[in-house]
Amino acid sequence: MTLSPDTLDLDACAREPIQHSGAIQPHGCLLSCAIDDLLIRHVSANAEALLDIPTDELLGLPLSEVFETHVLDALAAL
C-alpha cells in the first residue's frame, strides 16, 4: 500500500500515544524531531541496528544527514 495524504488519517495519528509505546516493531525504528528544524530529539534503542549510526550520534542530527532527499521530500509532502 502506498501512503499519500489522501490515505492518511492524520487525526488518528495525532491521537496515537506513541510516547507510551511499549515496543518498536523489529523492522523499524523510531526517530522523533521538531517540525521547525527537523533535528532528531529522540531515538529508539534499535535505531543503531537499522541505521548503522550510534544512537548517541543520531541525537541532534538533522534528518537530512540520515535520510536521502527523496525520503525527506516524501515526508514533506505528508
Coordinates of all heavy atoms in Angstrom, one line a residue:
M1 N 0.8 -1.2 0.0 CA 0.0 0.0 0.0 C 0.9 1.2 0.0 O 1.8 1.4 0.8 CB -0.9 0.0 1.3 CG -1.7 1.2 1.4 SD -2.8 1.0 2.9 CE -3.0 2.6 3.3
T2 N 0.6 2.2 -0.9 CA 1.3 3.4 -0.9 C 0.6 4.5 -0.1 O -0.6 4.6 -0.3 CB 1.4 3.9 -2.4 OG1 2.1 2.9 -3.1 CG2 2.2 5.2 -2.4
L3 N 1.3 5.1 0.8 CA 0.7 6.1 1.6 C 0.7 7.5 0.9 O 1.7 7.8 0.4 CB 1.4 6.2 3.0 CG 1.3 5.0 3.9 CD1 2.0 5.2 5.2 CD2 -0.2 4.7 4.2
S4 N -0.3 8.2 1.0 CA -0.4 9.5 0.4 C -1.2 10.4 1.4 O -1.9 9.8 2.2 CB -1.0 9.5 -1.0 OG -2.4 9.2 -0.9
P5 N -1.2 11.7 1.2 CA -2.1 12.5 2.1 C -3.6 12.1 2.0 O -4.3 12.2 3.0 CB -1.9 13.9 1.5 CG -0.5 13.9 0.9 CD -0.4 12.5 0.3
D6 N -4.0 11.5 0.9 CA -5.4 11.1 0.7 C -5.7 9.8 1.5 O -6.9 9.6 1.9 CB -5.7 10.9 -0.7 CG -5.6 12.1 -1.6 OD1 -5.9 13.2 -1.0 OD2 -5.3 12.0 -2.7
T7 N -4.7 9.0 1.8 CA -4.9 7.7 2.5 C -4.6 7.8 4.0 O -4.9 6.8 4.7 CB -4.2 6.6 1.9 OG1 -2.8 6.9 2.0 CG2 -4.6 6.3 0.4
L8 N -4.1 8.9 4.4 CA -3.7 9.0 5.8 C -4.8 9.7 6.6 O -5.3 10.7 6.2 CB -2.4 9.8 6.0 CG -1.1 9.1 5.5 CD1 0.0 10.1 5.6 CD2 -0.9 7.9 6.3
D9 N -5.1 9.2 7.8 CA -6.0 9.9 8.7 C -5.1 10.6 9.8 O -4.7 9.9 10.8 CB -6.9 8.9 9.3 CG -7.9 9.6 10.3 OD1 -7.7 10.8 10.6 OD2 -8.8 8.9 10.8
L10 N -4.7 11.8 9.5 CA -3.7 12.5 10.4 C -4.3 12.7 11.8 O -3.6 12.7 12.8 CB -3.3 13.8 9.8 CG -2.5 13.6 8.5 CD1 -2.0 15.0 8.0 CD2 -1.3 12.7 8.7
D11 N -5.7 12.8 11.9 CA -6.3 13.0 13.2 C -6.1 11.7 14.0 O -5.8 11.7 15.2 CB -7.8 13.3 13.1 CG -8.0 14.7 12.6 OD1 -7.2 15.6 12.9 OD2 -9.0 14.9 11.9
A12 N -6.2 10.5 13.4 CA -6.0 9.3 14.1 C -4.5 9.2 14.5 O -4.2 8.7 15.6 CB -6.3 8.1 13.2
C13 N -3.6 9.6 13.7 CA -2.2 9.6 14.0 C -1.9 10.5 15.2 O -1.1 10.1 16.1 CB -1.3 10.0 12.8 SG -1.2 8.9 11.5
A14 N -2.5 11.6 15.3 CA -2.3 12.6 16.4 C -2.8 12.0 17.7 O -2.3 12.4 18.7 CB -3.0 13.9 16.0
R15 N -3.8 11.1 17.6 CA -4.3 10.5 18.9 C -3.5 9.3 19.4 O -3.7 8.8 20.5 CB -5.7 10.1 18.7 CG -6.7 11.3 18.5 CD -8.2 10.8 18.5 NE -8.5 9.8 17.5 CZ -8.8 10.1 16.2 NH1 -8.9 11.4 15.8 NH2 -9.1 9.2 15.4
E16 N -2.6 8.8 18.6 CA -1.8 7.7 19.0 C -0.8 8.0 20.1 O -0.1 9.0 20.0 CB -0.9 7.2 17.8 CG -1.7 6.4 16.7 CD -2.3 5.1 17.2 OE1 -1.7 4.4 18.0 OE2 -3.5 4.8 16.8
P17 N -0.8 7.3 21.2 CA 0.0 7.6 22.3 C 1.4 7.0 22.1 O 1.9 6.2 22.9 CB -0.7 6.9 23.5 CG -1.4 5.8 22.8 CD -1.8 6.2 21.4
I18 N 2.1 7.5 21.1 CA 3.4 6.9 20.8 C 4.4 7.2 22.0 O 5.4 6.4 22.1 CB 4.0 7.4 19.5 CG1 4.2 8.9 19.5 CG2 3.1 7.0 18.3 CD1 5.0 9.4 18.3
Q19 N 4.2 8.2 22.8 CA 5.1 8.4 23.9 C 5.0 7.3 24.9 O 5.9 7.2 25.8 CB 4.9 9.8 24.5 CG 3.6 10.0 25.3 CD 2.4 10.3 24.4 OE1 2.4 10.1 23.2 NE2 1.4 10.8 25.1
H20 N 4.0 6.5 24.8 CA 3.8 5.4 25.8 C 3.9 4.0 25.1 O 3.5 3.0 25.7 CB 2.4 5.5 26.4 CG 2.2 6.8 27.1 ND1 2.9 7.1 28.3 CD2 1.3 7.8 26.9 CE1 2.5 8.3 28.7 NE2 1.5 8.8 27.9
S21 N 4.5 4.0 24.0 CA 4.7 2.8 23.2 C 5.5 1.8 24.1 O 6.6 2.1 24.6 CB 5.4 3.0 21.9 OG 5.6 1.8 21.2
G22 N 5.1 0.5 24.1 CA 5.8 -0.5 24.8 C 7.0 -1.1 24.0 O 7.9 -1.6 24.6
A23 N 6.9 -1.0 22.7 CA 7.9 -1.6 21.8 C 7.8 -1.0 20.5 O 6.8 -0.4 20.0 CB 7.7 -3.1 21.8
I24 N 8.9 -1.1 19.8 CA 9.0 -0.7 18.4 C 9.1 -2.0 17.6 O 9.8 -2.9 17.9 CB 10.3 0.2 18.1 CG1 10.3 1.4 19.0 CG2 10.4 0.6 16.6 CD1 9.1 2.4 18.9
Q25 N 8.4 -2.0 16.5 CA 8.4 -3.2 15.6 C 9.8 -3.5 15.2 O 10.6 -2.6 14.9 CB 7.5 -3.1 14.5 CG 6.0 -3.0 14.9 CD 5.1 -2.8 13.7 OE1 5.5 -2.7 12.6 NE2 3.8 -2.9 14.0
P26 N 10.2 -4.8 15.1 CA 11.6 -5.1 14.8 C 12.1 -4.6 13.4 O 13.3 -4.5 13.2 CB 11.7 -6.6 14.9 CG 10.3 -7.1 14.9 CD 9.4 -5.9 15.3
H27 N 11.2 -4.4 12.5 CA 11.6 -4.0 11.1 C 11.6 -2.5 11.0 O 11.8 -1.9 9.9 CB 10.6 -4.6 10.1 CG 9.2 -4.2 10.3 ND1 8.4 -4.9 11.1 CD2 8.5 -3.1 9.8 CE1 7.2 -4.3 11.1 NE2 7.2 -3.2 10.3
G28 N 11.5 -1.7 12.1 CA 11.5 -0.3 12.1 C 12.2 0.3 13.3 O 12.5 -0.5 14.2
C29 N 12.3 1.6 13.3 CA 12.8 2.2 14.5 C 12.1 3.6 14.6 O 11.4 4.0 13.7 CB 14.4 2.5 14.4 SG 14.9 3.5 13.1
L30 N 12.2 4.2 15.7 CA 11.5 5.5 16.0 C 12.6 6.6 16.1 O 13.5 6.5 16.8 CB 10.7 5.4 17.3 CG 10.0 6.7 17.7 CD1 8.8 6.9 16.8 CD2 9.7 6.7 19.1
L31 N 12.3 7.6 15.3 CA 13.1 8.9 15.4 C 12.0 9.9 15.5 O 11.1 10.0 14.8 CB 13.9 9.2 14.1 CG 14.9 8.1 13.7 CD1 15.6 8.6 12.4 CD2 16.0 7.9 14.7
S32 N 12.2 10.8 16.5 CA 11.3 12.0 16.6 C 12.1 13.2 16.5 O 13.2 13.3 16.9 CB 10.5 11.9 17.9 OG 11.3 12.2 19.0
C33 N 11.4 14.2 15.9 CA 12.1 15.5 15.7 C 11.1 16.6 15.8 O 9.9 16.4 15.7 CB 12.8 15.5 14.3 SG 11.7 15.4 12.9
A34 N 11.6 17.8 16.0 CA 10.8 19.0 16.0 C 10.5 19.4 14.5 O 11.4 19.3 13.7 CB 11.4 20.1 16.7
I35 N 9.3 19.8 14.2 CA 8.9 20.1 12.8 C 9.6 21.4 12.3 O 9.8 21.5 11.2 CB 7.3 20.2 12.7 CG1 6.9 20.2 11.3 CG2 6.8 21.5 13.4 CD1 7.1 18.9 10.6
D36 N 9.9 22.3 13.2 CA 10.5 23.5 12.8 C 12.0 23.4 12.3 O 12.4 24.1 11.4 CB 10.4 24.6 13.9 CG 11.1 24.2 15.2 OD1 11.3 23.0 15.4 OD2 11.5 25.1 15.9
D37 N 12.8 22.5 12.9 CA 14.2 22.4 12.5 C 14.6 21.0 12.0 O 15.7 20.8 11.5 CB 15.1 22.8 13.6 CG 14.9 22.1 14.9 OD1 14.3 21.0 14.9 OD2 15.5 22.5 15.9
L38 N 13.7 20.0 12.2 CA 13.9 18.6 11.8 C 15.2 18.0 12.5 O 15.8 17.1 11.9 CB 13.9 18.4 10.3 CG 12.7 18.8 9.6 CD1 12.8 18.6 8.1 CD2 11.5 18.0 10.1
L39 N 15.5 18.5 13.7 CA 16.6 17.9 14.4 C 16.1 16.7 15.2 O 15.0 16.8 15.9 CB 17.3 18.9 15.4 CG 18.0 20.1 14.7 CD1 18.5 21.0 15.8 CD2 19.1 19.6 13.8
I40 N 16.8 15.6 15.2 CA 16.4 14.4 15.9 C 16.5 14.6 17.4 O 17.5 15.0 17.9 CB 17.2 13.2 15.5 CG1 17.0 12.9 14.0 CG2 16.9 12.0 16.3 CD1 18.0 11.9 13.4
R41 N 15.4 14.4 18.1 CA 15.3 14.7 19.5 C 15.2 13.4 20.3 O 15.7 13.3 21.5 CB 14.0 15.4 19.9 CG 13.9 16.8 19.2 CD 14.8 17.8 19.8 NE 14.3 19.2 19.6 CZ 14.8 19.9 18.6 NH1 15.7 19.4 17.8 NH2 14.4 21.1 18.4
H42 N 14.6 12.3 19.8 CA 14.5 11.0 20.5 C 14.7 9.9 19.5 O 14.4 10.0 18.3 CB 13.1 10.8 21.1 CG 12.8 11.9 22.0 ND1 12.1 13.0 21.7 CD2 13.0 12.0 23.4 CE1 11.9 13.8 22.7 NE2 12.5 13.2 23.8
V43 N 15.3 8.8 19.9 CA 15.5 7.6 19.1 C 15.2 6.4 19.9 O 15.4 6.3 21.1 CB 17.0 7.5 18.5 CG1 17.4 8.8 17.7 CG2 18.0 7.4 19.6
S44 N 14.8 5.4 19.2 CA 14.5 4.1 19.8 C 15.8 3.3 20.0 O 16.8 3.6 19.3 CB 13.5 3.3 19.1 OG 13.9 3.0 17.7
A45 N 15.9 2.4 20.9 CA 17.1 1.7 21.2 C 17.6 0.9 20.0 O 18.8 0.6 19.9 CB 16.8 0.7 22.4
N46 N 16.7 0.5 19.1 CA 17.1 -0.3 17.9 C 17.5 0.5 16.7 O 17.8 -0.1 15.7 CB 16.0 -1.3 17.6 CG 14.8 -0.6 17.0 OD1 14.5 0.5 17.3 ND2 14.0 -1.4 16.3
A47 N 17.5 1.8 16.8 CA 17.9 2.7 15.7 C 19.3 2.4 15.1 O 19.5 2.4 13.9 CB 17.7 4.1 16.1
E48 N 20.2 2.2 16.0 CA 21.6 1.9 15.5 C 21.7 0.7 14.7 O 22.3 0.7 13.6 CB 22.5 1.8 16.7 CG 24.0 1.5 16.3 CD 25.0 1.5 17.4 OE1 24.6 1.7 18.6 OE2 26.1 1.2 17.2
A49 N 20.9 -0.4 15.1 CA 21.0 -1.6 14.3 C 20.5 -1.4 12.9 O 20.9 -2.1 11.9 CB 20.2 -2.7 15.0
L50 N 19.5 -0.6 12.7 CA 18.9 -0.4 11.4 C 19.6 0.7 10.6 O 19.6 0.7 9.3 CB 17.4 0.0 11.5 CG 16.6 -1.2 12.1 CD1 15.2 -0.7 12.4 CD2 16.5 -2.3 11.1
L51 N 20.1 1.8 11.2 CA 20.6 2.9 10.5 C 22.2 2.9 10.5 O 22.8 3.7 9.8 CB 20.1 4.2 11.1 CG 18.6 4.4 11.1 CD1 18.2 5.6 11.9 CD2 18.1 4.5 9.7
D52 N 22.8 2.0 11.3 CA 24.2 1.9 11.4 C 24.9 3.2 11.9 O 26.0 3.6 11.4 CB 24.8 1.5 10.1 CG 26.2 0.8 10.2 OD1 26.4 0.2 11.3 OD2 27.0 0.9 9.3
I53 N 24.2 3.9 12.7 CA 24.7 5.2 13.4 C 24.4 5.0 14.8 O 23.2 4.8 15.2 CB 24.0 6.4 12.8 CG1 24.2 6.5 11.3 CG2 24.5 7.7 13.5 CD1 23.3 7.7 10.7
P54 N 25.4 5.2 15.7 CA 25.1 5.0 17.1 C 24.0 6.0 17.6 O 23.9 7.1 17.1 CB 26.4 5.4 17.8 CG 27.5 5.1 16.7 CD 26.8 5.4 15.4
T55 N 23.2 5.5 18.5 CA 22.0 6.3 18.9 C 22.5 7.7 19.5 O 21.8 8.7 19.3 CB 21.1 5.6 19.9 OG1 22.0 5.1 21.0 CG2 20.5 4.4 19.3
D56 N 23.6 7.7 20.2 CA 24.0 9.0 20.8 C 24.5 10.0 19.7 O 24.4 11.2 19.9 CB 25.1 8.8 21.9 CG 26.3 8.1 21.4 OD1 26.2 7.3 20.4 OD2 27.4 8.3 21.9
E57 N 24.9 9.4 18.6 CA 25.3 10.3 17.5 C 24.1 10.8 16.7 O 24.1 11.8 16.0 CB 26.3 9.6 16.5 CG 27.6 9.4 17.2 CD 28.6 8.7 16.3 OE1 28.5 8.8 15.0 OE2 29.6 8.1 16.8
L58 N 23.0 10.0 16.7 CA 21.8 10.4 16.0 C 21.1 11.6 16.6 O 20.6 12.5 16.0 CB 20.8 9.3 16.0 CG 21.0 8.2 15.0 CD1 20.2 7.0 15.3 CD2 20.8 8.6 13.6
L59 N 21.2 11.7 18.0 CA 20.6 12.8 18.7 C 21.2 14.1 18.3 O 22.4 14.3 18.3 CB 20.7 12.6 20.2 CG 20.0 11.4 20.8 CD1 20.4 11.2 22.2 CD2 18.5 11.6 20.6
G60 N 20.3 15.1 17.9 CA 20.7 16.4 17.5 C 21.1 16.5 16.0 O 21.2 17.6 15.5
L61 N 21.1 15.4 15.3 CA 21.4 15.4 13.8 C 20.1 15.9 13.1 O 19.0 15.6 13.5 CB 21.7 14.1 13.3 CG 23.1 13.5 13.5 CD1 23.3 12.2 12.8 CD2 24.2 14.5 12.9
P62 N 20.3 16.7 12.0 CA 19.1 16.9 11.2 C 18.8 15.7 10.4 O 19.7 14.9 10.1 CB 19.6 18.1 10.2 CG 21.1 18.0 10.3 CD 21.5 17.4 11.6
L63 N 17.5 15.5 10.1 CA 17.1 14.3 9.3 C 17.8 14.2 8.0 O 18.1 13.2 7.5 CB 15.6 14.4 9.1 CG 14.7 14.0 10.3 CD1 13.2 14.1 9.8 CD2 15.0 12.7 10.8
S64 N 18.2 15.4 7.4 CA 18.9 15.4 6.1 C 20.3 14.7 6.2 O 20.8 14.4 5.1 CB 19.1 16.8 5.6 OG 19.9 17.6 6.6
E65 N 20.8 14.5 7.4 CA 22.1 13.8 7.5 C 21.9 12.3 7.6 O 22.8 11.5 7.6 CB 22.9 14.3 8.6 CG 23.5 15.7 8.4 CD 24.5 16.1 9.4 OE1 25.2 15.3 9.9 OE2 24.6 17.3 9.6
V66 N 20.6 11.9 7.8 CA 20.3 10.4 8.0 C 19.6 9.9 6.8 O 19.9 8.7 6.4 CB 19.4 10.3 9.2 CG1 19.1 8.8 9.5 CG2 20.2 10.8 10.5
F67 N 18.8 10.7 6.1 CA 17.9 10.2 5.0 C 18.2 10.9 3.7 O 18.6 12.1 3.7 CB 16.4 10.3 5.4 CG 16.0 9.5 6.5 CD1 15.8 10.1 7.8 CD2 15.9 8.1 6.4 CE1 15.4 9.3 8.9 CE2 15.6 7.3 7.5 CZ 15.3 8.0 8.8
E68 N 18.0 10.2 2.6 CA 18.2 10.8 1.3 C 17.1 11.8 1.0 O 16.0 11.8 1.6 CB 18.3 9.7 0.2 CG 19.5 8.8 0.4 CD 19.5 7.7 -0.6 OE1 18.7 7.7 -1.6 OE2 20.3 6.8 -0.5
T69 N 17.4 12.7 0.1 CA 16.4 13.8 -0.3 C 15.1 13.2 -0.7 O 14.1 13.8 -0.3 CB 17.0 14.6 -1.4 OG1 18.3 15.1 -1.0 CG2 16.1 15.8 -1.8
H70 N 15.0 12.1 -1.4 CA 13.7 11.6 -1.8 C 12.8 11.2 -0.6 O 11.6 11.3 -0.7 CB 13.8 10.5 -2.9 CG 14.3 9.2 -2.4 ND1 15.6 9.0 -2.2 CD2 13.6 8.1 -2.0 CE1 15.8 7.7 -1.7 NE2 14.6 7.2 -1.6
V71 N 13.5 10.7 0.4 CA 12.7 10.3 1.6 C 12.2 11.6 2.3 O 11.1 11.6 2.7 CB 13.6 9.5 2.6 CG1 12.9 9.2 3.9 CG2 14.1 8.2 1.9
L72 N 13.0 12.6 2.4 CA 12.6 13.8 3.1 C 11.5 14.5 2.3 O 10.6 15.1 2.8 CB 13.8 14.8 3.2 CG 15.0 14.2 4.1 CD1 16.2 15.2 4.1 CD2 14.5 14.0 5.5
D73 N 11.6 14.4 0.9 CA 10.6 15.0 0.1 C 9.2 14.3 0.3 O 8.2 14.9 0.4 CB 11.0 14.9 -1.4 CG 12.1 15.9 -1.7 OD1 12.4 16.8 -1.0 OD2 12.7 15.7 -2.8
A74 N 9.3 13.0 0.5 CA 8.1 12.2 0.7 C 7.5 12.6 2.1 O 6.2 12.8 2.2 CB 8.3 10.7 0.7
L75 N 8.3 12.8 3.1 CA 7.8 13.2 4.4 C 7.2 14.6 4.3 O 6.2 14.9 4.9 CB 9.0 13.2 5.4 CG 9.4 11.9 5.9 CD1 10.7 12.0 6.8 CD2 8.3 11.1 6.6
A76 N 7.9 15.5 3.6 CA 7.4 16.9 3.5 C 6.0 16.9 2.8 O 5.2 17.8 3.1 CB 8.4 17.7 2.7
A77 N 5.8 16.0 1.9 CA 4.6 16.0 1.1 C 3.4 15.6 2.0 O 2.2 15.9 1.7 CB 4.6 15.1 -0.1
L78 N 3.7 14.9 3.1 CA 2.6 14.5 4.0 C 2.3 15.6 5.0 O 1.3 15.6 5.6 CB 3.1 13.2 4.8 CG 3.3 12.0 3.9 CD1 3.9 10.9 4.8 CD2 2.1 11.5 3.3

